[in-house]
Amino acid sequence: MNYVNIFVQSIFIDNMIFAYFLGMCSYLAVSKTVKTGVGLGAAVIFVLGITVPINYILENKFLQEGALTWISPELASVDLSFLSFIMFIAVIASIVQLVEMAVEKFSPALYGALGIFLPLIAVNCSILGGSLFMQERQYANIGEATVFGLGSGVGWFLAIVAIAAIREKIRYSHVPAPLRGLGITFIITGLMGIAFMSFMGIKL
Amino acid sequence: MSETTQEVEKVEEKAPREPLFSKKNRKLITDPLNDDNPITVQVLGICSALAVTVKLKPSIVMSLSVVAVMIFANLIISLIRNLVPNRVRIIVQLVVVAFLVILVDQILKAFVYDVSKQLSVFVGLIITNCIVMGRLEAFAMGNKPWPSILDGFGNGLGYAWILVAVAFFRELFGSGQLLGLQIVPEAFFSFGYMNNGLMILPPMALITVGIIIWVQRSRNTKLIEE
Amino acid sequence: MNTNSNSYTVIFSVVMVVIVATALALTAEGLKPMQKENVRREKMQNILSSMGVETDRDGAAALFDTHVKERLVLNASGEETARKSGEVKAGDTEDAFNIDVQKEYKEWKAGSRSANDINYPLFICDKDGATIYVVPLVGTGLWGPIWGYIALESDMRTIAGTSFDHKTETPGLGAEINEKPFQAQFEGKFVSDKDGTFTSVKVVKGGATNEHEVDAISGGTITSDGVDEMIERTLKVYEPYFKSNQ
């Protein structure tokens, strides 16, 4: 049940966009049409689902204080946690690169759909954010971490598809000139965030 | 537009003493404050920042961290720009930024522990702050060190003032305080004034930025989007 | 020089990695004592705060020495296994102050430590001549670990004060556990009946009705439940000790 709980909570309550504003840059830039929104959203789910568990292993087997004891008990006092930012971002950058190459080789159709979005993802804050939250929340095992990664991705996907759909429609409305484009997108996102807050406190 | 002219004048006063601030260099600092603001115009670097704007103090620390990281990242990249192999330049930029961010994080943990607790993961997220990477790629890779420093400083400031402005309104209306000091007098509360609890919640940060954009663009009409 | 050749790229990368790694390792090592000291003082500050002694982090160390007289470790059946007094020595693993209850809790949750191997620190303190017992708590909130201290008066059943903290609870809701209004509710409540039977303090929704209840945080139900659970689970272990020393 814990898995379902983490999944639902990371989608709806601690949504990457509405609660933490992570990945806002690409969220605002790529949400002009639903089609691109879906593409980028899918890529985010994919990459978060892979990088969070990998970084979980890295964190628990290499970086934490005392994490190296599986190599030798003498290493118990080694604390490499100061390297975690740089290791996480390196893992993310290389995974994105690998995924891009693999997708291109094995599924040209998927590459056609996701390809142009993958390079954008290395600098999408929600990806690094996923790993950093995983580190801070200290999930008990790799299963929980994976579910958290996937859930956060789905939450991000939901947010970008929703805003893209609204932006497609809002073109036909009379928005005050200075608010057009960016301004109204911010305000709509805020309102959506308020709506999402009604999910708070849900526990399955 | 009065604010902008004041800012330009201030720099001009300094100019005779400081020949390094040529007209072109001054523009590097003043542009990002308004016409080319990283947040409200270039749409960069909103990600990591807004979540720390509930209170003024962490926002100021966050702004200073970003300004420091931007200046040094721009400087370092600009110094080594002719040595960096083109194929790995994005990774090199990431490493330089990550390196600086780790330094900032360690220093915050050692000297301002309380603030570092409040900022938590958001210091780490400066690494993927699009402004930093964006300016490295767009400016520092092709310019000399001094203009790069100015560009980093200017964009950092442009980012900082939005952050501080948002935090100012959120703390004032959300908790009736500024920097932890009570600003709204007790008398107001006895007349039925209430702190607006909504301002503390994350969505209001977005709406506040939306309103700042509204105000900015109604004063500076050339920024209006089609 | 051709900056795009393979060998140049490799050499450049290696040099960069070495420089960055050395610089980071040096800074991290250099600043570590100060960071550790901050964490240590914060812990002292929290213990003091739970018994109602407010101080800033700089003053914590001195006040800790004045107020905290003895530091005990109990095992999972509530028997005393170690007792220390005087200055806290950094590497002394038998010292209750150095026991990382959060780490042990996490290991227990992950299954790598059995419930019988968990150590339970107890701080016997003195405030204006009255003895106060401070017990560290650790549990799980909505998002991540929550922890705190609960201070009992010399009768070992009246709560003298509490302090809770968290890292990741929702701001404005669950995060309220580290604010005074929530913590102050506990003062004067009881953790056992008049005849000494353990009855934990419950964090309840919709208004506390008796001396074993406090109000939950509205909107922070899961965090409140976490507080409730950690108080009950932890204090249960100390019950035999309190009974035999009453």
Side-chain angles (χ1 to χ4, degrees):
Chain A
M1 260 348 245
N2 204 13
Y3 291 122
V4 183
N5 211 358
I6 290 179
F7 191 65
V8 170
Q9 289 189 343
S10 51
I11 296 178
F12 292 108
I13 303 161
D14 272 21
N15 186 290
M16 281 283 181
I17 292 276
F18 299 130
Y20 295 106
F21 319 103
L22 296 183
M24 285 297 284
C25 312
S26 19
Y27 171 83
L28 292 169
V30 192
S31 62
K32 291 204 171 94
T33 62
V34 172
K35 195 163 172 267
T36 52
V38 169
L40 186 65
V44 167
I45 300 181
F46 198 53
V47 174
L48 265 177
I50 298 175
T51 53
V52 172
I54 292 182
N55 281 337
Y56 182 86
I57 298 175
L58 199 66
E59 162 78 8
N60 283 285
K61 293 292 173 200
F62 294 96
L63 298 174
Q64 256 179 10
E65 182 165 13
L68 287 166
T69 39
W70 60 276
I71 298 177
S72 142
E74 287 159 26
L75 295 174
S77 64
V78 178
D79 182 4
L80 293 178
S81 51
F82 68 92
L83 282 176
S84 58
F85 293 167
I86 217 163
M87 291 305 290
F88 287 174
I89 194 73
V91 165
I92 289 167
S94 37
I95 293 287
V96 168
Q97 201 82 64
L98 279 178
V99 167
E100 193 183 351
M101 290 192 292
V103 171
E104 189 178 11
K105 178 126 174 66
F106 297 113
S107 168
L110 188 62
Y111 184 75
L114 289 187
I116 51 163
F117 299 113
L118 282 169
L120 274 177
I121 284 192
V123 286
N124 183 322
C125 325
S126 61
I127 309 290
L128 183 64
S131 290
L132 292 177
F133 279 127
M134 170 277 296
Q135 181 189 32
E136 194 170 88
R137 288 175 188 160
Q138 307 181 349
Y139 286 108
N141 57 50
I142 190 165
E144 285 186 17
T146 316
V147 169
F148 164 72
L150 287 173
S152 302
V154 174
W156 204 89
F157 176 88
L158 214 62
I160 193 167
V161 173
I163 192 78
I166 294 176
R167 285 182 81 172
E168 281 191 2
K169 292 288 170 213
I170 210 151
R171 258 174 247 150
Y172 307 109
S173 318
H174 292 289
V175 178
L179 267 181
R180 250 175 243 155
L182 195 56
I184 195 73
T185 312
F186 266 110
I187 291 178
I188 295 173
T189 311
L191 294 175
M192 287 164 74
I194 293 176
F196 262 66
M197 284 175 56
S198 57
F199 291 113
M200 239 172 221
I202 291 180
K203 188 162 182 149
L204 294 173
Chain B
M1 294 298 285
S2 60
E3 278 175 28
T4 345
T5 37
Q6 273 171 7
E7 275 154 6
V8 174
E9 273 165 16
K10 265 184 212 158
V11 183
E12 270 168 356
E13 276 170 14
K14 275 187 199 162
R17 272 174 283 145
E18 194 71 85
L20 281 169
F21 287 99
S22 67
K23 196 164 186 197
K24 207 177 100 215
N25 283 346
R26 275 205 314 271
K27 256 183 97 61
L28 288 175
I29 297 190
T30 52
D31 260 8
L33 293 181
N34 191 358
D35 285 2
D36 202 16
N37 187 284
I39 292 191
T40 60
V41 183
Q42 302 177 46
V43 206
L44 291 176
I46 309 142
C47 328
S48 57
L50 292 179
V52 303
T53 52
V54 177
K55 293 265 155 66
L56 201 49
K57 194 176 168 199
S59 332
I60 293 174
V61 175
M62 181 78 181
S63 305
L64 290 178
S65 314
V66 171
V67 171
V69 169
M70 285 201 66
I71 292 178
F72 286 106
N74 264 5
L75 172 66
I76 294 174
I77 289 292
S78 174
L79 284 173
I80 61 172
R81 69 185 187 280
N82 295 325
L83 298 173
V84 178
N86 199 35
R87 260 180 301 173
V88 292
R89 69 172 198 288
I90 298 281
I91 302 275
V92 171
Q93 291 167 7
L94 270 178
V95 169
V96 168
V97 177
F99 166 70
L100 290 168
V101 170
I102 295 176
L103 284 189
V104 167
D105 182 52
Q106 298 284 330
I107 290 171
L108 288 182
K109 268 189 193 143
F111 296 102
V112 274
Y113 183 68
D114 297 313
V115 181
S116 92
K117 260 179 41 180
Q118 279 174 328
L119 292 177
S120 72
V121 302
F122 294 100
V123 175
L125 287 171
I126 299 177
I127 295 175
T128 45
N129 190 322
C130 330
I131 304 183
V132 185
M133 290 290 291
R135 293 323 293 173
L136 290 181
E137 181 71 8
F139 198 91
M141 281 304 284
N143 284 284
K144 291 211 175 83
W146 176 243
S148 301
I149 293 181
L150 292 183
D151 181 78
F153 183 64
N155 278 285
L157 274 191
Y159 169 89
W161 87 256
I162 300 278
L163 209 64
V164 171
V166 174
F168 176 84
F169 290 117
R170 285 182 78 188
E171 186 170 359
L172 184 63
F173 294 120
S175 352
Q177 299 174 332
L178 286 178
L179 290 171
L181 299 170
Q182 192 69 32
I183 294 291
V184 179
E186 287 298 322
F188 277 40
F189 289 96
S190 48
F191 280 114
Y193 175 85
M194 295 255 280
N195 285 328
N196 186 347
L198 202 58
M199 289 303 280
I200 298 180
L201 298 170
M204 284 313 285
L206 292 168
I207 295 180
T208 316
V209 176
I211 293 170
I212 290 178
I213 292 178
W214 192 356
V215 173
Q216 190 195 15
R217 291 190 182 182
S218 19
R219 297 161 65 115
N220 194 347
T221 43
K222 63 174 180 282
L223 295 177
I224 292 177
E225 288 173 47
E226 274 311 303
Chain C
M1 186 167 51
N2 175 15
T3 55
N4 282 325
S5 72
N6 279 342
S7 49
Y8 179 81
T9 308
V10 171
I11 294 171
F12 182 89
S13 313
V14 170
V15 170
M16 183 179 73
V17 166
V18 170
I19 293 177
V20 167
T22 324
L24 283 181
L26 287 178
T27 344
E29 275 309 305
L31 293 175
K32 193 169 233 174
M34 299 177 69
Q35 297 171 356
K36 283 232 159 116
E37 184 63 20
N38 278 335
V39 175
R40 203 172 81 100
R41 287 202 185 150
E42 190 191 25
K43 189 171 178 181
M44 292 177 167
Q45 192 188 1
N46 287 339
I47 294 175
L48 290 169
S49 151
S50 73
M51 53 188 262
V53 178
E54 295 303 334
T55 166
D56 58 356
R57 242 191 359 266
D58 294 329
L63 279 171
F64 186 83
D65 287 345
T66 353
H67 286 290
V68 181
K69 296 298 175 200
E70 285 183 293
R71 304 182 295 277
L72 275 59
V73 184
L74 307 186
N75 64 15
S77 0
E79 291 148 0
E80 183 183 325
T81 57
R83 181 186 283 257
K84 300 271 167 178
S85 56
E87 202 178 314
V88 179
K89 287 190 195 64
D92 187 354
T93 49
E94 283 198 339
D95 192 323
F97 185 80
N98 291 331
I99 288 174
D100 189 342
V101 284
Q102 285 177 55
K103 196 173 157 204
E104 294 190 354
Y105 175 75
K106 200 184 152 200
E107 286 169 358
W108 172 61
K109 277 267 166 175
S112 60
R113 179 184 281 268
S114 89
N116 293 327
D117 290 340
I118 302 178
N119 293 303
Y120 292 89
L122 173 67
F123 301 98
I124 301 181
C125 317
D126 172 274
K127 189 191 173 196
D128 309 327
T131 310
I132 290 187
Y133 299 85
V134 177
V135 173
L137 307 166
V138 50
T140 309
L142 172 64
W143 275 115
I146 52 177
W147 60 93
Y149 296 89
I150 185 164
L152 302 177
E153 284 177 11
S154 49
D155 62 1
M156 297 178 188
R157 60 183 287 257
T158 318
I159 298 178
T162 54
S163 79
F164 301 112
D165 209 351
H166 68 95
K167 224 171 179 180
T168 45
E169 299 309 299
T170 323
L173 301 171
E176 296 289 307
I177 58 164
N178 67 5
E179 300 287 340
K180 272 283 159 243
F182 178 72
Q183 299 177 4
Q185 287 189 73
F186 286 87
E187 281 167 36
K189 305 280 174 176
F190 297 98
V191 294
S192 61
D193 288 339
K194 286 190 188 71
D195 56 4
T197 319
F198 175 69
T199 318
S200 181
V201 179
K202 290 273 162 213
V203 184
V204 294
K205 265 198 223 175
T209 51
N210 63 37
E211 58 196 18
H212 295 292
E213 288 178 354
V214 296
D215 276 345
I217 298 159
S218 49
T221 315
I222 297 166
T223 317
S224 305
D225 288 351
V227 172
D228 189 293
E229 187 271 342
M230 77 178 173
I231 294 179
E232 168 143 26
R233 172 174 39 78
T234 314
L235 285 183
K236 219 176 165 54
V237 176
Y238 291 81
E239 187 194 1
Y241 177 86
F242 287 151
K243 266 196 168 159
S244 60
N245 284 279
Q246 216 151 19

